[in-house]
Amino acid sequence: MANYTEALPLLLLQAREATVNYFRPILQEASITEQQWRVVRVLSEHNELESKSLAKLCCILSPSLTGILNRLEKVGYIQRRKSEEDLRCVLISLSPDGQALFQRIRPMLDRHYHEISQSLSEDKLRMLSRLLSELTDTVSELSTPAPKE
């Protein structure tokens, strides 16, 4: 096992905290949390999603997502509608105000991403992305129970 300061979970946590702290002031100025921004960001790309899919894409547990969606709906950033194909299913999308929020915040966040890519380089960021995806896939495979024979 690695020294505590070299432990993978700690290094990932430190990297996450440093990254989120770098972007947080922009979100705070817009009065939106990191989790709320993830929802807005995902819905901006997917237009409309069912809550289970949204939770998975945002890496937010379903019970937590319910509260986040309630708050986003209360301030007018999202809207919900029943699916015409399956009335039990509720579809979530950005409202016009939510789309305006996304358009207002995204350029500021893009500048921060650009600053990071200038410091690290585009190649290193792509490599980091690829390695993190591989790590996610590997750990997911290792934690999935083997089928019973």
Side-chain angles (χ1 to χ4, degrees):
M1 182 175 256
N3 177 322
Y4 175 72
T5 59
E6 298 170 353
L8 184 59
L10 180 63
L11 292 171
L12 290 169
L13 185 59
Q14 288 171 335
R16 181 204 180 278
E17 287 301 307
T19 304
V20 169
N21 286 338
Y22 184 60
F23 289 97
R24 186 174 284 133
I26 294 169
L27 300 177
Q28 285 176 332
E29 188 174 310
S31 299
I32 190 167
T33 68
E34 295 90 17
Q35 295 85 359
Q36 290 170 339
W37 174 252
R38 266 187 269 159
V39 169
V40 169
R41 178 79 171 89
V42 167
L43 289 174
S44 75
E45 286 188 25
H46 292 273
N47 296 324
E48 190 173 64
L49 289 168
E50 175 271 325
S51 63
K52 191 177 283 187
S53 300
L54 182 60
K56 184 174 181 174
L57 289 168
C58 293
C59 296
I60 298 173
L61 297 175
S62 289
S64 298
L65 182 63
T66 300
I68 293 166
L69 292 176
N70 288 340
R71 287 185 288 283
L72 287 172
E73 186 174 41
K74 186 176 180 180
V75 295
Y77 291 146
I78 64 156
Q79 50 202 12
R80 303 182 211 211
R81 73 172 184 89
K82 291 221 184 249
S83 168
E84 294 172 11
E85 294 83 37
D86 181 354
L87 295 177
R88 297 168 297 171
C89 183
V90 175
L91 299 170
I92 303 149
S93 62
L94 287 179
S95 68
D97 284 348
Q99 292 168 357
L101 173 76
F102 176 76
Q103 294 302 325
R104 189 175 82 241
I105 294 176
R106 184 174 183 175
M108 293 180 274
L109 295 174
D110 283 348
R111 280 193 291 280
H112 273 49
Y113 280 112
H114 180 72
E115 290 169 2
I116 292 170
S117 69
Q118 292 298 301
S119 294
L120 278 180
S121 85
E122 291 287 337
D123 288 342
K124 283 185 179 178
L125 277 179
R126 275 193 293 279
M127 182 181 3
L128 177 60
S129 230
R130 193 172 54 253
L131 288 170
L132 289 171
S133 291
E134 284 181 37
L135 176 63
T136 300
D137 293 345
T138 298
V139 173
S140 293
E141 288 173 17
L142 291 172
S143 61
T144 302
K148 295 181 181 179
E149 294 181 22

